[in-house]
Amino acid sequence: ARPRGLYPFNMAVWSKDDIMAADMRKMGRWHELDHPSMIGVRHQGVLVDVGANFGSWSLFFAAAGHRVLAIEPAPQNVALLNASLCANPAWQERIRVYPYIVGNSEQAGKHCTFYVDPQNKGNMQVACDGPKPTNRVFGGSVLVKTLQDVLDEAGVGTIDTLKIDVEGFECNVLDGIPKLLDNYHPTTIFMEIASNRKSEECAKAVAQRGGFDITIGWDAKLTRDFKRGDVRRGMYR
């Protein structure tokens, strides 16, 4: 991998049938991100990466000196993340990997099924209830936790950047951490909404509650100035 302005590093990716991995193999980066500053994150801090895939955000943030909580349910992607950490042992204290589906409080404690796009293996969609998503194949069944549960387990005390990319499950993630803005004070939130009206409405609701500026496209980007520096304590309590 070749992050802009930083030393190259070894990164494990899918060998085929994955759009993001194809970019990595061709260019050494995912076209959306070659450095955190590319998306407006200019100071080292804490990234919580919900739907980490094989680490296109997590590893590039770690390379730039950020602390990272990578949450990814698909065992194959978790294996790739761990392989990348083995190849970069200096980052093993910088990145923590948690193999859960992140959902709301009603889903927590259950095992939900995820389905994989066979043409894009890193792309998965969760179905806790209801029918199987179309054009996808069975990927596995994984324990669900709320984001609050995962942050408590990890001992995270503050969040600078929150990224949520969970293929239409974004509102469930946010429902599982009702005091996100009050307790963790994120300054930047990225959510993939991909023309999903429900996810877009959830992003707009967070922006309104938290006083964020919001930009809507394929992703929703929420940014705000942080005024309460006295309560920012680093990643771990």
Side-chain angles (χ1 to χ4, degrees):
R2 296 186 294 275
R4 175 170 50 85
L6 301 171
Y7 288 110
F9 60 89
N10 291 321
M11 182 176 180
V13 302
W14 291 94
S15 61
K16 60 180 181 179
D17 298 331
D18 184 87
I19 294 170
M20 193 179 299
D23 266 9
M24 288 291 184
R25 295 195 307 272
K26 181 179 179 180
M27 300 186 296
R29 62 178 177 85
W30 173 228
H31 72 269
E32 293 182 350
L33 179 71
D34 64 5
H35 189 279
S37 63
M38 180 179 176
I39 51 174
V41 178
R42 305 191 183 282
H43 303 287
Q44 291 180 353
V46 178
L47 166 70
V48 174
D49 188 357
V50 183
N53 205 302
F54 57 73
S56 61
W57 279 57
S58 290
L59 294 166
F60 275 62
F61 267 72
H66 296 251
R67 302 296 294 265
V68 177
L69 187 69
I71 309 171
E72 170 57 44
Q76 302 93 326
N77 286 334
V78 171
L80 291 171
L81 272 167
N82 286 328
S84 293
L85 289 179
C86 286
N88 301 277
W91 297 354
Q92 291 181 9
E93 292 300 315
R94 198 177 297 171
I95 302 178
R96 296 186 180 183
V97 180
Y98 288 84
Y100 305 124
I101 290 171
V102 180
N104 60 35
S105 58
E106 293 182 2
Q107 295 155 343
K110 299 178 181 178
H111 281 73
C112 288
T113 301
F114 67 89
Y115 295 87
V116 176
D117 180 348
Q119 304 303 316
N120 189 15
K121 291 180 179 177
N123 183 290
M124 49 159 281
Q125 188 170 346
V126 174
C128 282
D129 302 295
K132 166 190 166 183
T134 58
N135 301 320
R136 292 176 183 259
V137 297
F138 176 79
S141 180
V142 176
L143 179 66
V144 181
K145 291 197 174 188
T146 66
L147 183 54
Q148 184 64 67
D149 289 338
V150 181
L151 296 179
D152 288 344
E153 181 179 340
V156 172
T158 192
I159 299 170
D160 296 281
T161 303
L162 173 63
K163 172 253 193 179
I164 308 173
D165 183 357
V166 288
E167 303 300 320
F169 217 61
E170 289 79 13
C171 296
N172 301 72
V173 173
L174 292 170
D175 286 347
I177 184 163
K179 294 187 177 181
L180 168 67
L181 303 180
D182 294 332
N183 292 349
Y184 296 95
H185 313 289
T187 56
T188 308
I189 300 174
F190 290 87
M191 291 173 55
E192 182 181 275
I193 54 177
S195 301
N196 184 309
R197 180 56 60 88
K198 184 178 179 181
S199 295
E200 181 176 334
E201 291 305 315
C202 287
K204 289 179 177 177
V206 171
Q208 184 174 16
R209 288 200 309 271
F212 289 88
D213 294 324
I214 182 169
T215 304
I216 297 288
W218 184 263
D219 303 298
K221 178 182 177 182
L222 290 68
T223 56
R224 65 178 178 177
D225 291 328
F226 187 75
K227 305 298 185 184
R228 297 173 59 195
D230 57 322
V231 301
R232 299 183 73 75
R233 299 180 297 274
M235 183 169 185
Y236 305 114
R237 296 191 183 103

